[in-house]
C-alpha cells in the first residue's frame, strides 16, 4: 500500500509540474472554460423579447390605435413603425428590420363598433422556425387579451367575470429566464469537454514524445499510472467547477435552491468519469491530435445534442432517448438542473449518480485492460 501511494504521488507530482510549466495546458485547464461560460452565458439565450414589429394600419381609427397599443405595451414586442406601403413592408421583413407584420384592414374599427368579427393579417419571418413558433404564440396571446377586454366592455364593464379564469403558476423557474437553464447546462458541457480533452492528452503525449518508455522500464503498475495521472486533473476539473459555480451565482445570478453538497458530489463523480473517458481515448490514440479530435467527437457532440441541454430528453424520438441514456452528460444534467432549480433530495438523484459511477467504472476498467506496459 505504501509503495502504491508513493509511486502514485510521484506520478501526480510529475503531472502537476508539467501542467504548471505548460501555458497551453493551463489555458485548456482554466482560461478557455471561463471564456466559454461567459461568452455562451451571455450570448446563448432562448428568451424571445423586444421582437421588431411593424403595423400596416389601413384603418387609422381609435380602435386600430388601441389595438396597436396592446402590442406596444407588451415587453415581447418593439414597434418599428407604422407603414402601409407593401414594397417597404416586404423590404423590412427581408432585411430583418421587422420580424412580424400585422395588417389592420380599413374596416377594422367599423366592424368592431358594430360588434362584427374583424380579421387582421399576421406575417411572421419563418427563417428561424423555433422563434417563429414563439412569435405566433405571443401574437395570439396579446390578441386574446385584447378580445377579452372588448368582451368585458361589451358585457357591461370590467366587473364582468368571464366563464373560465386561468390561475397560472410556474414552478422552479418563475421568471422563465433561459439563463436559469442555459448556464447550469454549460457547466455540464464544459466539465464534459475540457477534463476529457486533458485526459486524452496524458498517454498520447507520452507516446508521441517517447517518454512512455520510462513507464515501460519502471516498476510502476498500471493502476498507479492511471491514478497518478488522474489526481492532478481531477483537482483542475473541481477548481473549474467551483469557478463556474461562482460565476453562475455572482455574474449571471442564476437561482440555486438545492444542496451544494449533492451538486459537488455529482461534479466529483462526473469529472472522474470524463477524465476516464479521455484516458481511455488517449490509450487508444497514437497522437495528441487524434486524441483531441476523437474526444471532441465522442464527448461534446452527443452531450450537446442528447443530454437535454437545449431539447428535453422526453421530447426526443425513441432513438434519441436511447442515446441519451448512454452518455454521462444526461445523468449529470439531471443532477445539475435539479440542484439549481428544484432542490430535490438525494433519493431523487441517486439513480443518476449511480449511472455516472457505473460509466466511470467501465471507462477505467477498459483503460486498465488496454494499457499495456510493453511495446506493440
Amino acid at each position: 500500500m505504501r509503495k502504491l501511494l508513493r509511486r502514485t504521488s510521484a506520478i501526480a507530482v510529475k503531472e502537476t509540474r508539467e501542467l504548471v510549466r505548460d501555458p497551453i495546458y493551463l489555458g485548456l485547464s482554466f482560461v478557455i472554460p471561463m471564456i466559454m461560460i461567459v461568452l455562451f452565458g451571455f450570448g446563448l439565450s432562448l428568451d424571445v423579447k423586444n421582437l421588431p414589429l411593424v403595423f400596416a394600419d389601413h384603418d387609422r381609427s381609435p380602435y386600430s390605435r388601441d389595438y396597436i397599443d396592446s402590442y406596444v405595451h407588451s415587453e415581447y414586442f418593439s414597434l418599428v413603425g407604422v407603414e402601409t406601403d407593401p414594397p417597404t413592408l416586404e423590404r423590412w421583413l427581408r432585411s430583418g428590420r421587422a420580424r412580424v407584420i400585422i395588417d389592420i384592414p380599413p374596416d377594422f374599427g367599423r366592424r368592431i363598433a358594430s360588434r362584427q368579427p374583424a380579421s387582421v393579417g399576421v406575417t411572421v419571418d419563418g427563417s428561424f422556425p423555433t422563434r417563429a413558433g414563439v412569435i405566433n404564440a405571443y401574437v395570439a396571446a396579446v390578441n386574446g387579451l385584447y378580445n377579452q377586454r372588448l368582451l368585458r366592455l361589451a358585457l357591461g364593464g370590467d366587473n364582468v367575470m368571464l366563464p373560465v379564469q386561468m390561475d397560472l403558476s410556474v414552478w422552479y423557474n418563475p421568471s422563465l429566464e433561459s439563463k436559469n437553464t442555459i448556464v447550469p447546462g454549460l457547466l455540464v458541457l464544459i466539465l464534459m469537454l475540457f477534463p476529457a480533452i486533458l485526459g486524452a492528452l496524458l498517454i498520447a503525449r507520452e507516446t508521441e514524445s517517447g517518454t512512455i518508455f520510462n513507464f515501460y522500464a519502471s516498476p510502476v503498475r498500471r493502476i498507479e499510472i492511471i491514478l497518478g495521472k488522474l489526481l492532478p486533473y481531477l483537482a483542475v476539473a473541481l477548481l473549474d467547477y467551483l469557478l463556474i459555480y461562482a460565476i453562475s451565482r455572482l455574474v449571471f445570478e442564476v437561482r440555486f435552491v438545492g444542496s451544494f453538497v449533492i451538486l459537488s458530489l455529482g461534479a466529483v463523480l462526473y469529472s472522474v468519469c470524463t477524465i476516464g473517458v479521455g484516458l481511455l481515448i488517449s490509450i487508444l490514440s497514437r497522437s495528441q491530435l487524434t486524441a483531441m479530435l476523437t474526444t471532441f467527437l465522442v464527448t461534446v457532440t452527443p452531450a450537446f445534442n442528447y443530454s437535454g441541454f437545449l431539447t428535453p430528453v422526453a421530447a426526443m424520438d425513441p432513438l434519441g432517448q436511447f442515446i441519451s441514456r448512454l452518455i454521462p452528460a444526461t445523468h449529470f444534467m439531471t443532477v445539475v438542473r435539479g440542484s439549481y432549480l428544484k432542490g430535490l433530495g438525494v433519493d431523487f438523484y441517486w439513480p443518476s449518480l449511480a449511472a455516472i459511477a457505473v460509466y466511470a467504472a467501465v471507462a477505467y476498467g477498459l483503460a486498465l485492460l488496454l494499457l499495456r506496459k510493453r511495446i506493440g
Side-chain angles (χ1 to χ4, degrees):
M1 187 64 180
R2 286 184 179 180
K3 290 183 178 180
L4 185 145
L5 293 176
R6 187 171 64 250
R7 292 169 180 169
T8 300
S9 61
I11 297 173
V13 169
K14 165 187 169 295
E15 292 295 332
T16 304
R17 287 175 177 170
E18 291 186 358
L19 172 64
V20 173
R21 292 171 181 172
D22 194 333
I24 296 179
Y25 272 64
L26 285 176
L28 281 174
S29 301
F30 300 109
V31 179
I32 298 180
M34 298 307 107
I35 292 175
M36 278 191 63
I37 189 67
V38 172
L39 290 181
F40 283 97
F42 283 114
L44 185 59
S45 175
L46 302 179
D47 298 330
V48 182
K49 294 183 180 180
N50 299 316
L51 293 162
L53 167 69
V54 62
F55 277 92
D57 186 2
H58 299 280
D59 188 45
R60 303 283 181 173
S61 68
Y63 287 100
S64 66
R65 287 193 292 271
D66 187 40
Y67 186 70
I68 293 173
D69 285 342
S70 64
Y71 287 88
V72 173
H73 294 153
S74 168
E75 64 175 331
Y76 302 111
F77 296 100
S78 176
L79 183 63
V80 174
V82 178
E83 179 60 60
T84 56
D85 181 46
T88 302
L89 292 172
E90 183 179 354
R91 186 171 64 252
W92 285 6
L93 196 65
R94 284 177 178 272
S95 65
R97 181 178 177 182
R99 296 295 182 187
V100 192
I101 299 174
I102 298 183
D103 193 333
I104 302 176
D107 60 347
F108 180 80
R110 179 182 60 81
R111 295 183 69 86
I112 291 180
S114 60
R115 297 191 177 185
Q116 295 179 3
S119 298
V120 296
V122 180
T123 304
V124 177
D125 182 356
S127 56
F128 297 94
T130 303
R131 178 163 293 188
V134 175
I135 293 173
N136 288 337
Y138 286 168
V139 171
V142 176
N143 187 77
L145 291 174
Y146 182 77
N147 281 329
Q148 284 186 19
R149 186 151 56 87
L150 291 179
L151 182 60
R152 288 179 186 275
L153 292 174
L155 294 177
D158 293 336
N159 294 326
V160 176
M161 295 295 295
L162 297 175
V164 179
Q165 299 287 332
M166 185 174 67
D167 185 11
L168 177 64
S169 62
V170 178
W171 288 18
Y172 309 129
N173 187 11
S175 62
L176 295 177
E177 293 180 282
S178 62
K179 69 176 184 179
N180 290 324
T181 58
I182 293 295
V183 175
L186 289 172
L187 170 63
V188 177
L189 295 185
I190 290 173
L191 290 185
M192 181 85 231
L193 173 60
F194 289 98
I197 283 183
L198 291 171
L201 297 177
L202 294 178
I203 303 297
R205 180 185 59 197
E206 305 278 2
T207 303
E208 201 172 61
S209 64
T211 55
I212 191 70
F213 295 106
N214 295 333
F215 289 111
Y216 291 163
S218 68
V220 294
R221 293 180 294 175
R222 291 176 295 175
I223 183 65
E224 295 165 350
I225 296 175
I226 289 177
L227 287 177
K229 289 183 173 294
L230 163 68
L231 294 177
Y233 293 94
L234 177 60
V236 168
L238 295 181
L239 184 56
D240 281 339
Y241 154 70
L242 293 174
L243 290 173
I244 293 172
Y245 174 80
I247 291 174
S248 72
R249 301 285 290 126
L250 300 177
V251 177
F252 295 102
E253 298 181 345
V254 177
R255 67 196 304 266
F256 183 86
V257 298
S259 169
F260 181 73
V261 174
I262 295 177
L263 179 63
S264 300
L265 175 61
V268 171
L269 280 174
Y270 187 63
S271 299
V272 170
C273 177
T274 55
I275 295 172
V277 171
L279 269 170
L280 179 59
I281 294 173
S282 185
I283 291 170
L284 297 173
S285 302
R286 295 298 182 97
S287 68
Q288 296 183 71
L289 179 60
T290 302
M292 289 183 66
L293 293 177
T294 304
T295 302
F296 188 87
L297 180 65
V298 170
T299 58
V300 174
T301 303
F304 189 86
N305 292 317
Y306 297 105
S307 67
F309 176 59
L310 293 178
T311 304
V313 174
M316 299 178 185
D317 57 26
L319 177 60
Q321 294 184 24
F322 175 75
I323 295 174
S324 70
R325 298 189 188 99
L326 300 180
I327 58 176
T330 304
H331 305 286
F332 189 51
M333 189 73 73
T334 301
V335 176
V336 170
R337 285 185 172 162
S339 298
Y340 269 88
L341 300 177
K342 297 183 178 181
L344 304 176
V346 69
D347 55 331
F348 178 81
Y349 298 121
W350 77 262
S352 298
L353 296 174
I356 297 172
V358 169
Y359 203 103
V362 171
Y364 284 98
L366 290 174
L368 281 171
L369 184 66
L370 297 174
L371 180 60
R372 301 288 186 181
K373 284 193 61 181
R374 65 186 184 192
I375 301 174

